[in-house]
Amino acid sequence: MTKRQFVLIILMMTLLVCHAQKRQFRGAWIQAVNGQFQGMSTAAMQQTLAYQLDELQKDGVNAIIFQVRPECDALYASKIEPWSRFLTGVQGRAPQPYWDPLEWMVNECHKRGMELHAWINPYRAKTKGTNQLAVNHVTKLRPNCYFTYDNQYILNPALKENRDYICMVVDDIVSRYDIDGLHIDDYFYPYPAPGQSIPDQQYYMADRGGFATIGDWRRNNVNLFVKQLSETIHKRKPWVKFGVSPFGIYRNKKTDPVNGSETNGLQDYDDLYADVLLWVNNGWVDYCAPQIYWQIGHPAADYATLIKWWDKHASNRPLFIGEDVERTTKYADPLMPTSHQLPAKYRLHQQTHHVNGVVLWYAKAVVDNIGNYGSVLRNYYWKYPALQPRMEFIDDKAPKKPRKLKALWTSDGYFLFWQVPRGKKWNDVATKYVVYKYDAGEKINIEDVSKIVAITSQTFIKLPYDNGKTKYTYVVTSLDRMSNESKVKKKSVKL
């Protein structure tokens, strides 16, 4: 790399930091289905997760999407489904010493000012690698509820009893855990396997429901489920965000000249029977995070083409982009061959009108700092904390500002304390606080993200006392569950 190229990269990153977003969804997927936790002791898994959360927090991540139901099983205490083999090694075996990973993750994420979205796979009942199912697994209890495809078990989307069953499982999760979101991924009808067909023709022939093709009928089955799931979540807790991360191609232009993208790959609409745009435009989901895992310049699924397509077509709900960390660092920036594609992808983000977040696949790749990805986030793009994007369609009313802001000495040092503002209903109760720091006499501007020193669920923060000769102004605001921000409360201190 020449000196000129290095200077250009630093200048570009500095400009991006100067235009850092105050509100941005910065998510990371923590998956279980890859077996990274399988058979770990309780202490080892907690230590691993705590380390990942600490590093991700330093990198600027503000939301964790944690897989809790890979195959009609549970990485949480459930009376409906068995413990997951991806936790203990054997489906149905409880962890020893006993603990509840979802409850633990909710608490740990909230302590760090992060959201926790519980990620489930709704229809998949058995992965290819699972050979033994627990006696209380749904396919054992209801052997007619699923079909076999490519050595997987799939809950049949045609059956209303399956829609009701999945919604019952989700309602149980939402009712018992203080999660911030409920997340489903791209597994609806199974991914096509060569030489195999989905064994549901007899159901279609028995009740076509007025649909002329089996494809339209299958899409309707999934549509009914997504709508019902959305209603189930919001009836129980209106503030829990319902998110979906579909496959990155909705339709190819050769299939749909009007709505298709200039791509040539698997299609949500035609191959997985997932009409994602219908869900977005009807408001059945609260956010959409398409998995655009390819690189810029991919011959069949170009990242630049797809981010622009989703930006144009899926703007009726908050849009976050699913990014593949390893692929991003593997390929060179087309305009700067000495750099990988992270800067190029962020340039594209800056050019969009509706993209307001990123979800990183996968969390461990960021923690392992593959291609310096985590370091670049930490020191440049996500150097400053970010609030969650607002979702006014759920709630747009700000909570009251904090009360009785005081600076006090304690045996542990100098602290800024405040009291929780008054609030009675879920949509006016403060759950987190933003702390800003300004030089004496500096104009208070809470849109300047460089002034944020913390986003916390605590009602205090330790002050960096030096010699007590320099004046600063601290500002604290309240955030409610939907990240609406209150008016400011100010306090002058000498540090």
Side-chain angles (χ1 to χ4, degrees):
M1 181 186 297
T2 66
K3 182 178 179 180
R4 181 175 179 273
Q5 288 172 328
F6 177 78
V7 171
L8 286 173
I9 290 174
I10 296 300
L11 176 61
M12 177 181 63
M13 289 181 172
T14 302
L15 288 171
L16 281 167
V17 169
C18 291
H19 293 88
Q21 294 171 248
K22 180 176 179 178
R23 293 181 178 272
Q24 187 179 31
F25 190 89
R26 300 173 177 176
W29 280 292
I30 296 182
Q31 79 275 42
V33 75
N34 67 338
Q36 66 172 319
F37 306 120
Q38 189 166 319
M40 266 191 185
S41 69
T42 297
M45 185 170 170
Q46 289 180 352
Q47 183 180 17
T48 299
L49 286 170
Y51 174 72
Q52 289 186 5
L53 294 180
D54 286 342
E55 293 303 299
L56 292 167
Q57 182 185 27
K58 294 172 188 175
D59 292 337
V61 170
N62 61 16
I64 298 297
I65 300 177
F66 180 54
Q67 189 173 30
V68 299
R69 186 181 182 264
E71 49 180 2
C72 293
D73 53 357
L75 276 87
Y76 62 96
S78 173
K79 293 181 180 180
I80 303 171
E81 297 187 313
W83 284 102
S84 175
R85 76 173 179 91
F86 296 110
L87 176 64
T88 65
V90 178
Q91 191 178 92
R93 178 186 292 169
Q96 293 295 333
Y98 183 86
W99 71 304
D100 186 325
L102 177 54
E103 180 182 42
W104 188 89
M105 283 291 286
V106 167
N107 293 334
E108 292 298 311
C109 286
H110 288 176
K111 280 197 309 188
R112 293 168 174 81
M114 296 173 168
E115 289 193 345
L116 188 285
H117 294 225
W119 161 23
I120 73 162
N121 301 88
Y123 294 116
R124 187 173 62 199
K126 185 187 84 68
T127 60
K128 293 181 182 181
T130 298
N131 298 315
Q132 185 176 356
L133 298 172
V135 294
N136 63 329
H137 191 265
V138 64
T139 60
K140 294 284 190 179
L141 301 175
R142 295 166 44 213
N144 295 320
C145 72
Y146 71 97
F147 57 75
T148 301
Y149 184 89
D150 194 28
N151 200 29
Q152 302 175 86
Y153 290 173
I154 307 295
L155 296 185
N156 190 344
L159 301 180
K160 181 181 182 300
E161 65 187 82
N162 284 337
R163 296 195 293 271
D164 293 342
Y165 174 77
I166 300 166
C167 287
M168 177 181 66
V169 170
V170 169
D171 188 54
D172 176 59
I173 294 171
V174 174
S175 65
R176 292 194 295 117
Y177 295 91
D178 189 21
I179 60 174
D180 302 286
L182 193 288
H183 187 89
I184 61 175
D185 57 21
D186 54 335
Y187 288 92
F188 299 101
Y189 278 89
Y191 273 65
Q196 299 194 38
S197 59
I198 298 171
D200 64 349
Q201 288 79 8
Q202 71 274 26
Y203 293 94
Y204 172 59
M205 297 304 294
D207 184 6
R208 297 189 180 200
F211 294 98
T213 70
I214 195 169
D216 288 338
W217 175 79
R218 287 171 178 163
R219 272 183 291 276
N220 183 64
N221 292 334
V222 179
N223 292 340
L224 290 172
F225 163 69
V226 171
K227 184 174 186 292
Q228 182 179 344
L229 183 58
S230 177
E231 292 168 350
T232 298
I233 294 166
H234 292 130
K235 181 179 179 181
R236 177 63 63 180
K237 289 180 180 175
W239 62 87
V240 173
K241 304 166 185 177
F242 176 32
V244 60
S245 56
F247 184 73
I249 299 173
Y250 176 71
R251 299 191 91 184
N252 299 310
K253 189 172 280 289
K254 67 179 182 182
T255 306
D256 184 346
V258 176
N259 293 314
S261 54
E262 290 284 1
T263 50
N264 184 26
L266 186 86
Q267 304 167 104
D268 280 313
Y269 186 93
D270 302 89
D271 300 313
L272 303 177
Y273 305 99
D275 191 354
V276 183
L277 291 191
L278 178 71
W279 312 339
V280 168
N281 290 327
N282 285 354
W284 295 346
V285 296
D286 298 319
Y287 68 86
C288 181
Q291 299 173 26
I292 310 180
Y293 288 168
W294 304 278
Q295 71 271 23
I296 298 169
H298 189 286
D302 173 47
Y303 178 96
T305 297
L306 283 165
I307 191 174
K308 293 172 185 175
W309 185 93
W310 285 98
D311 183 57
K312 178 180 178 181
H313 289 86
S315 61
N316 197 48
R317 280 292 184 262
L319 176 62
F320 317 137
I321 301 301
E323 305 269 359
D324 186 300
V325 172
E326 291 183 347
R327 188 170 294 216
T328 297
T329 58
K330 178 181 178 181
Y331 291 91
D333 182 337
L335 299 181
M336 197 175 296
T338 54
S339 169
H340 58 55
Q341 290 196 352
L342 181 57
K345 288 186 175 181
Y346 265 80
R347 288 197 298 270
L348 288 168
H349 279 251
Q350 294 290 319
Q351 295 165 14
T352 61
H353 299 288
H354 306 291
V355 174
N356 196 18
V358 177
V359 188
L360 301 173
W361 178 259
Y362 46 97
K364 189 176 184 299
V366 185
V367 173
D368 290 346
N369 202 24
I370 293 175
N372 288 319
Y373 196 104
S375 295
V376 174
L377 291 181
R378 184 178 304 192
N379 296 314
Y380 297 100
Y381 299 117
W382 293 355
K383 181 177 181 179
Y384 303 111
L387 283 64
Q388 294 293 338
R390 296 183 69 203
M391 294 188 178
E392 294 95 334
F393 50 88
I394 296 178
D395 171 41
D396 63 356
K397 181 183 176 183
K400 293 181 179 179
K401 62 186 178 182
R403 298 183 299 135
K404 299 182 179 180
L405 186 62
K406 296 180 180 180
L408 298 172
W409 279 98
T410 74
S411 58
D412 294 322
Y414 200 30
F415 282 80
L416 190 67
F417 292 94
W418 58 90
Q419 291 187 8
V420 177
R422 293 182 177 87
K424 296 181 179 180
K425 299 179 181 179
W426 71 265
N427 56 356
D428 62 12
V429 171
T431 57
K432 284 188 286 193
Y433 305 90
V434 189
V435 182
Y436 304 82
K437 180 183 179 183
Y438 300 87
D439 293 333
E442 185 179 3
K443 182 180 179 181
I444 303 300
N445 175 19
I446 63 171
E447 296 306 313
D448 183 351
V449 298
S450 69
K451 302 301 178 182
I452 298 176
V453 295
I455 300 174
T456 178
S457 58
Q458 307 277 12
T459 54
F460 59 86
I461 186 172
K462 189 172 185 179
L463 297 172
Y465 186 82
D466 185 13
N467 55 20
K469 295 181 179 180
T470 308
K471 289 184 178 180
Y472 297 96
T473 300
Y474 274 80
V475 166
V476 183
T477 60
S478 305
L479 297 176
D480 63 15
R481 286 188 177 272
M482 300 313 301
S483 209
N484 296 303
E485 189 173 18
S486 74
K487 295 180 180 178
V488 305
K489 189 78 170 179
K490 298 186 290 185
K491 178 67 179 177
S492 295
V493 296
K494 289 183 178 181
L495 303 177

